[in-house]
Amino acid sequence: MTNLVIDIGNTYTKIAVFKLNELLAVMQFETVDPDTLDNFLNNYQIDRAIVSSVKKHVEPWQTGLEAKMPVTYFNALINSCIQNHYLTPETLGTDRLAAVIGASHTYPALNSLVITGGTAITYDYVDAAGNYFGGSISPGLNMRYKALNYYTAGLPLISTDAAFNATYGDSTETAIRSGVQNGIKYELLGFIESYQANNPQLNIVLSGGDSIFFDTLLKNSIFAPYIKIEPYLVLKGLNAAIQKHND
């Protein structure tokens, strides 16, 4: 079976094609329209599609897609390869759930901490038996920079500098950078240490747009050998979900 996998996020829409578990193609768009989708799919014979969205409304192109193939809308109630113990599954972000499914499917025999860096930073744990109980959500990298500028009268809006590695800043700009980037580094280390206390061989999976930057922050830590980067983890999770859902 060839699956069309669509992940509609806060900023971008990612569209991928899988042949069973093989990723054939992936593209990222700020906006999608019927022509854009048709151009992407021209070279593929798609059997079915799965759509995950963080947005409440349905895009017009989604209606057109339903006329061309069976479409499954991903949610917390879909039969998948994990046991979801979240107390309020109806409020669970589909991107978080898909990432956990992706980790469980890709690393089925491991206890995994999934860290996704995007608009928000999320931490979600799934054990080797596929049990998921929940996680944590905190402001993302760019959100922190924007918040310091927006909620103060005098702090400038600056951007991330991956080369910055000082313990402290000696100017307002570098002090902000130290607070934001070192703050995230210590947050990452704290969460990982907390989970690893009960799981010495914890599998750490980084995903999302800031995954490479997070890996840089952690490269000299004792956790570095356990870290894996999976930029397409959510897409892999959605593909695993549609396969399990249609078994």
Side-chain angles (χ1 to χ4, degrees), residues 171-183:
S171 67
T172 298
E173 180 175 318
T174 55
I176 294 171
R177 192 160 280 129
S178 173
V180 171
Q181 296 183 194
N182 286 332

Side-chain angles (χ1 to χ4, degrees), residues 10 95-96 99 113-124 132 134-145 160 179-192 195 204-211 213-215 217-218:
N10 291 299
D95 51 344
R96 291 175 63 196
L113 175 62
V114 180
I115 303 174
T116 303
T119 303
I121 304 172
T122 58
Y123 304 83
D124 291 288
Y132 169 67
S136 307
I137 304 171
S138 71
L141 178 62
N142 289 327
M143 187 184 294
R144 298 183 193 210
Y145 276 122
T160 303
V180 171
Q181 296 183 194
N182 286 332
I184 288 178
K185 176 183 177 179
Y186 301 140
E187 178 181 298
L188 291 167
L189 291 171
F191 271 108
I192 293 171
Y195 280 98
I204 304 163
V205 186
L206 303 182
S207 187
D210 290 324
S211 58
F213 177 68
F214 288 0
D215 185 53
L217 291 178
L218 297 169

Side-chain angles (χ1 to χ4, degrees), residues 19-33:
K19 182 75 171 181
L20 295 178
N21 291 319
E22 180 185 0
L23 178 60
L24 302 181
V26 61
M27 291 288 289
Q28 179 174 281
F29 304 94
E30 287 190 13
T31 59
V32 179
D33 56 49

Side-chain angles (χ1 to χ4, degrees), residues 7-245:
D7 173 34
I8 305 172
N10 291 299
T11 306
Y12 295 103
T13 294
K14 300 180 184 69
I15 302 177
V17 177
F18 286 84
K19 182 75 171 181
L20 295 178
N21 291 319
E22 180 185 0
L23 178 60
L24 302 181
V26 61
M27 291 288 289
Q28 179 174 281
F29 304 94
E30 287 190 13
T31 59
V32 179
D33 56 49
D35 291 338
T36 300
L37 189 59
D38 287 342
N39 289 337
F40 179 80
L41 298 177
N42 276 343
N43 296 322
Y44 303 98
Q45 182 64 46
I46 306 296
D47 296 300
R48 60 196 179 188
I50 185 168
V51 176
S52 172
S53 179
V54 300
K55 300 178 181 178
K56 302 299 183 183
H57 62 278
V58 175
E59 304 283 353
W61 57 264
Q62 292 176 243
T63 304
L65 184 65
E66 293 173 2
K68 298 176 181 179
M69 65 187 72
V71 177
T72 298
Y73 286 93
F74 180 70
N75 59 62
L77 301 179
I78 282 181
N79 183 28
S80 65
C81 57
I82 68 166
Q83 296 296 317
N84 186 0
H85 302 281
Y86 206 69
L87 294 181
T88 56
E90 69 281 358
T91 70
L92 176 62
T94 54
D95 51 344
R96 291 175 63 196
L97 179 59
V100 168
I101 293 172
S104 184
H105 181 76
T106 307
Y107 307 101
L110 299 177
N111 298 320
S112 295
L113 175 62
V114 180
I115 303 174
T116 303
T119 303
I121 304 172
T122 58
Y123 304 83
D124 291 288
Y125 174 78
V126 58
D127 68 20
N131 291 293
Y132 169 67
F133 293 93
S136 307
I137 304 171
S138 71
L141 178 62
N142 289 327
M143 187 184 294
R144 298 183 193 210
Y145 276 122
K146 291 177 180 177
L148 285 174
N149 170 249
Y150 183 82
Y151 289 107
T152 65
L155 295 181
L157 176 62
I158 63 173
S159 58
T160 303
D161 181 359
F164 179 85
N165 60 5
T167 302
Y168 63 90
D170 54 9
S171 67
T172 298
E173 180 175 318
T174 55
I176 294 171
R177 192 160 280 129
S178 173
V180 171
Q181 296 183 194
N182 286 332
I184 288 178
K185 176 183 177 179
Y186 301 140
E187 178 181 298
L188 291 167
L189 291 171
F191 271 108
I192 293 171
E193 183 177 4
S194 177
Y195 280 98
Q196 198 185 50
N198 297 316
N199 301 283
Q201 301 301 315
L202 181 69
N203 183 45
I204 304 163
V205 186
L206 303 182
S207 187
D210 290 324
S211 58
I212 301 297
F213 177 68
F214 288 0
D215 185 53
T216 300
L217 291 178
L218 297 169
K219 66 180 179 181
N220 295 320
S221 73
I222 61 173
F223 306 118
Y226 304 99
I227 294 174
K228 300 175 179 67
I229 299 178
E230 290 281 356
Y232 304 124
L233 188 65
V234 169
L235 297 174
K236 288 181 178 181
L238 292 172
N239 183 59
I242 193 173
Q243 292 185 75
K244 180 68 174 178
H245 183 66

